[in-house]
Amino acid sequence: AQSVTQLDSQVPVFEEAPVELRCNYSSSVSVYLFWYVQYPNQGLQLLLKYLSGSTLVKGINGFEAEFNKSQTSFHLRKPSVHISDTAEYFCAVSDQTGANNLFFGTGTRLTVIP
Amino acid sequence: EAGVVQSPRYKIIEKKQPVAFWCNPISGHNTLYWYRQNLGQGPELLIRYENEEAVDDSQLPKDRFSAERLKGVDSTLKIQPAELGDSAVYLCASSLEGRGGKLFFGSGTQLSVL
C-alpha cells in the first residue's frame, strides 16, 4: 500500500517570492508521483508527474518538482509565485505495477499575499 | 473539448434519504473513477471502471453505496440511505492512458446530509 504525507496544511507566501510545498511518500513498491492543483470551484488539474528518467520534472505554470528516492520525497517548487497560484495543491502516488489508482495526500493550501 | 461533466453541483438532503450523482466522462476515455473528498482531506478512491466493468470497488461501502456505468460511458453513483458522515464532495475522473496516466477531474458534487 502507498501513503502520502504533506506536512504543511497551509503555506502563505508573498507575491513574487519563491515557494516549496513538501511531499513525502511511503510505498513497498516503485511508484509514479504526481502533483495536482485545485483552484476554487474547479476540478483537480495535473501540474506535473514523474514516471522515470530525470529526477527534475517541469510542469505547467512555472512549477517544477524533484524526485528524491533516498528521501522518498517529491517537493514542488516555484521560483516566483503569482496571485493566480493561490489554490490547493495535492501530491499523489500510484503503483507502477498495479492499476492507475491515485493515492492523495491531504493537500496544502497555498495563499499568495499581494 | 468538453471536460468531465458532473451533476448536480450541490445537493442537500436529510439523513436516510437516497441520493444519486451523475458523471459524463471525456469522450473516448475508457477508465472512469469515483472519488470522495472529505473536508480538509485529499480525494479517496471509491470505485474504478474499465469500460462498463467495475475493476476495483474495494473501497466502496457496499451496504449503502452502489454505482453503475451502463454502456461504458456515463456513470451514476448512488447512496441509499444517506448518513450524516456521507457529507463530502464526490469527484468523478476519467482517463485515456494506463499506468502513470493523467486523470481529468470534474468539478464534483458537494453533498450535505442534514
Side-chain angles (χ1 to χ4, degrees):
Chain A
Q2 299 88 38
S3 67
V4 177
T5 301
Q6 292 182 249
L7 292 172
D8 305 306
S9 60
Q10 297 186 58
V11 174
V13 62
F14 286 103
E15 191 174 15
E16 298 184 4
V19 69
E20 178 180 84
L21 305 183
R22 296 181 292 169
C23 172
N24 288 87
Y25 69 92
S26 173
S27 177
S28 57
V29 299
S30 296
V31 296
Y32 298 130
L33 295 154
F34 307 80
W35 276 98
Y36 279 79
V37 60
Q38 189 173 33
Y39 298 106
N41 298 314
Q42 294 187 30
L44 284 87
Q45 302 172 32
L46 181 66
L47 267 181
L48 49 79
K49 62 181 179 180
Y50 172 78
L51 302 183
S52 65
S54 173
T55 57
L56 183 62
V57 180
K58 294 187 183 297
I60 61 172
N61 300 338
F63 284 93
E64 63 180 32
E66 186 159 19
F67 170 56
N68 188 318
K69 188 174 182 179
S70 62
Q71 297 186 9
T72 60
S73 68
F74 190 55
H75 301 331
L76 181 70
R77 303 186 184 98
K78 186 170 183 178
S80 176
V81 295
H82 302 289
I83 296 293
S84 59
D85 292 324
T86 294
E88 190 87 20
Y89 292 79
F90 292 94
C91 182
V93 301
S94 69
D95 182 351
Q96 283 192 15
T97 58
N100 194 29
N101 293 343
L102 288 179
F103 294 88
F104 287 87
T106 53
T108 297
R109 174 72 180 176
L110 174 64
T111 301
V112 180
I113 305 165
Chain B
E1 176 184 282
V4 176
V5 179
Q6 290 188 248
S7 68
R9 184 72 180 89
Y10 302 94
K11 189 73 176 179
I12 301 173
I13 61 171
E14 293 187 346
K15 63 181 181 181
K16 300 185 181 179
Q17 294 300 305
V19 64
F21 315 123
W22 177 80
C23 171
N24 191 23
I26 293 174
S27 178
H29 283 196
N30 297 328
T31 308
L32 183 146
Y33 307 78
W34 282 102
Y35 280 84
R36 177 170 60 188
Q37 185 176 14
N38 293 311
L39 187 64
Q41 301 295 315
E44 297 176 329
L45 180 69
L46 290 174
I47 188 169
R48 176 173 64 92
Y49 282 92
E50 295 290 346
N51 297 304
E52 67 275 10
E53 182 181 359
V55 295
D56 186 351
D57 62 355
S58 57
Q59 301 304 311
L60 190 72
K62 299 182 184 61
D63 57 334
R64 297 183 299 107
F65 286 66
S66 65
E68 61 182 13
R69 191 185 183 196
L70 300 176
K71 301 181 181 179
V73 182
D74 57 345
S75 175
T76 303
L77 178 68
K78 298 178 182 177
I79 309 175
Q80 183 172 8
E83 296 179 352
L84 296 177
D86 296 330
S87 295
V89 177
Y90 291 82
L91 300 169
C92 179
S94 69
S95 177
L96 181 61
E97 305 167 87
R99 298 189 193 108
K102 176 180 179 179
L103 269 62
F104 294 81
F105 284 83
S107 297
T109 296
Q110 184 169 331
L111 174 67
S112 297
V113 182
L114 306 178

